[in-house]
Amino acid sequence: MSAPPPLRIRGLSVGYPSDHGAIQAVREVDLDVAAGEFLGIVGESGSGKTQLLLAILRLSAPHARLAGSIRYREQELLQLNVRALNQVRGNRISMVFQDPMTALNPYLRIGRQITEVLRVHRNVSGREAERRGIEMLESVHIPEGPRRMRQYPHELSGGMRQRVMIAMALIAEPEILLADEPSTALDVTVQAQILSLFQELRARTGTAIVLVTHDLGVIAEVADRVAVMYAGRIMEQAPIHELFAHPRHPYTEALQQSIPRIDAPRPTHLASIGGAPPNAAALPAGCAFAPRCIYRMPICESIDPPLIEAAPGHWKACHHQGPLGKLRSEAA
Ligand SMILES: Nc1ncnc2c1ncn2[C@@H]1O[C@H](COP(=O)(O)OP(=O)(O)OP(=O)(O)O)[C@@H](O)[C@H]1O
Ligand SMILES: [Mg+2]
């Protein structure tokens, strides 16, 4: 029998009260992260990807309402006190944030920020921490490490700040790395370098990686498994090859058709299915994707389909039973 997954999320919801009704940022998410796996999470802007990652480390905004369960090994993260949480954050589970400026302290030197986790959680000397910090900067392709270590965040370019944050997240070799669009602000070459750095870290230390992106093409290159989010829910979840060969959710099919291919003109099917993601404060009664779905049936407008295991390891939340392929035949 395989080992239980270190991270088990069940029925996780993240809501924000507002004057226009509760904003449902994450809805009833069930998700496991297995030891050493590379899991991709994909979905359009506003689908709840960042809110899901932030909830895992209990970094949601103060007025957020969290429900459900997030178990990390024997600990229920939703119940931990701050002291116990700080033993997990940055040390066992670390995060690369979507916006580097919110994660870096403008008043502290880069070196101090990169090495903090080593000084707090690992019993390493100042000199050893400095050495590892410089090594880490090198591995994210920031040269002149000793000089950079003495600089402040504003003295670095945006792309460099992003890489500093990645160095910070990797230095303690965490068991799980949560990476929120770690490469969108970077140029394509550096992007590829960052992704191979993640893969290298995983091969060397067995760190599991959860990579959030809106780009299914990126996920296809690196992930073992992928979860597709829409309007705060997981719509489909499957091993990567399975998802590409046999998508079972119309939204996944639409996302797939929107991946640019070198041998074909860029399709506009995501646009051509029409509409936009729903407002998280006013979700439709049934399936949130129904208003845009070309396979829509009457039941879709009243009953939100549960996430069920349609084939081993392949989960989908959709009432449609038969094969997909309408988009492909339209494209032909
Ligand atoms: N502090 C907050 N208060 C109220 N609503 C919020 C808050 N933070 C996020 N939301 C809402 O939660 C929903 C999910 O947002 P989230 O940032 O997780 O999306 P995302 O998938 O990461 O999008 P993107 O690809 O643009 O980063 C959105 O409707 C957003 O407006
Ligand atoms: Mg986000």
Side-chain angles (χ1 to χ4, degrees):
M1 213 180 82
S2 55
L7 188 69
R8 286 178 76 90
I9 300 172
R10 290 294 176 272
L12 178 70
S13 294
V14 179
Y16 289 97
S18 91
D19 295 343
H20 315 286
I23 296 166
Q24 298 179 272
V26 175
R27 300 186 294 141
E28 296 284 331
V29 162
D30 292 346
L31 189 67
D32 288 347
V33 180
E37 81 165 322
F38 204 132
L39 171 70
I41 299 181
V42 70
E44 277 168 288
S45 186
S47 57
K49 306 178 300 294
T50 295
Q51 287 297 312
L52 170 61
L53 294 197
L54 289 175
I56 295 171
L57 287 178
R58 294 259 308 275
L59 294 170
S60 320
H63 61 297
R65 306 259 162 86
L66 273 64
S69 160
I70 305 175
R71 285 197 80 80
Y72 170 63
R73 300 203 164 275
E74 285 74 43
Q75 295 172 305
E76 173 54 60
L77 298 184
L78 291 187
Q79 308 293 338
L80 285 193
N81 61 33
V82 175
R83 207 187 136 101
L85 264 178
N86 284 337
Q87 292 298 317
V88 175
R89 287 175 178 159
N91 181 34
R92 310 300 307 160
I93 305 179
S94 69
M95 179 153 172
V96 175
F97 295 86
Q98 195 166 4
D99 171 12
M101 272 326 251
T102 59
L104 292 173
N105 184 328
Y107 303 113
L108 294 178
R109 293 180 201 272
I110 298 297
R112 165 106 187 261
Q113 300 193 56
I114 290 189
T115 58
E116 174 162 353
V117 60
L118 293 182
R119 287 181 284 108
V120 174
H121 296 289
R122 310 289 149 88
N123 199 12
V124 304
S125 68
R127 181 176 296 188
E128 171 63 8
E130 168 94 4
R131 190 190 64 75
R132 291 192 28 203
I134 293 168
E135 199 177 87
M136 211 56 234
L137 286 180
E138 244 164 54
S139 69
V140 293
H141 304 281
I142 297 184
E144 299 180 81
R147 183 167 78 88
R148 296 295 181 194
M149 293 281 277
R150 288 193 303 277
Q151 290 184 317
Y152 292 91
H154 72 264
E155 296 177 77
L156 273 58
S157 71
M160 269 189 198
R161 285 197 288 260
Q162 188 118 13
R163 279 177 279 160
V164 163
M165 201 174 45
I166 291 166
M168 259 167 78
L170 297 187
I171 199 163
E173 301 187 346
E175 185 170 9
I176 300 172
L177 173 73
L178 308 174
D180 194 358
E181 305 265 12
S183 52
T184 30
L186 307 174
D187 68 56
V188 192
T189 326
V190 182
Q191 240 182 64
Q193 284 165 355
I194 298 295
L195 292 175
S196 58
L197 183 70
F198 286 173
Q199 284 170 311
E200 188 189 303
L201 174 86
R202 177 170 80 139
R204 189 163 49 81
T205 66
T207 293
I209 294 165
V210 181
L211 175 73
V212 157
T213 168
H214 56 268
D215 187 345
L216 195 54
V218 165
I219 297 235
E221 304 234 335
V222 292
D224 306 317
R225 207 159 61 89
V226 53
V228 177
M229 284 188 82
Y230 188 83
R233 281 197 68 185
I234 291 181
M235 293 299 196
E236 181 162 10
Q237 192 183 307
I240 188 77
H241 299 295
E242 170 72 16
L243 188 101
F244 273 88
H246 308 289
R248 286 172 187 263
H249 198 288
Y251 179 57
T252 311
E253 188 189 35
L255 277 182
Q256 248 179 47
Q257 295 290 325
S258 71
I259 299 179
R261 285 174 34 185
I262 319 172
D263 58 341
R266 191 188 172 101
T268 51
H269 277 97
L270 202 54
S272 77
I273 59 174
N279 174 354
L283 293 174
C287 171
F289 187 62
R292 299 170 81 187
C293 184
I294 56 172
Y295 302 89
R296 182 178 61 236
M297 302 175 289
I299 187 178
C300 305
E301 279 154 29
S302 53
I303 297 172
D304 201 3
L307 189 67
I308 53 148
E309 195 168 13
H314 194 151
W315 298 74
K316 68 154 186 181
C318 179
H319 293 300
H320 179 78
Q321 293 297 334
L324 302 179
K326 267 196 196 177
L327 281 178
R328 244 170 320 207
S329 52
E330 267 174 31

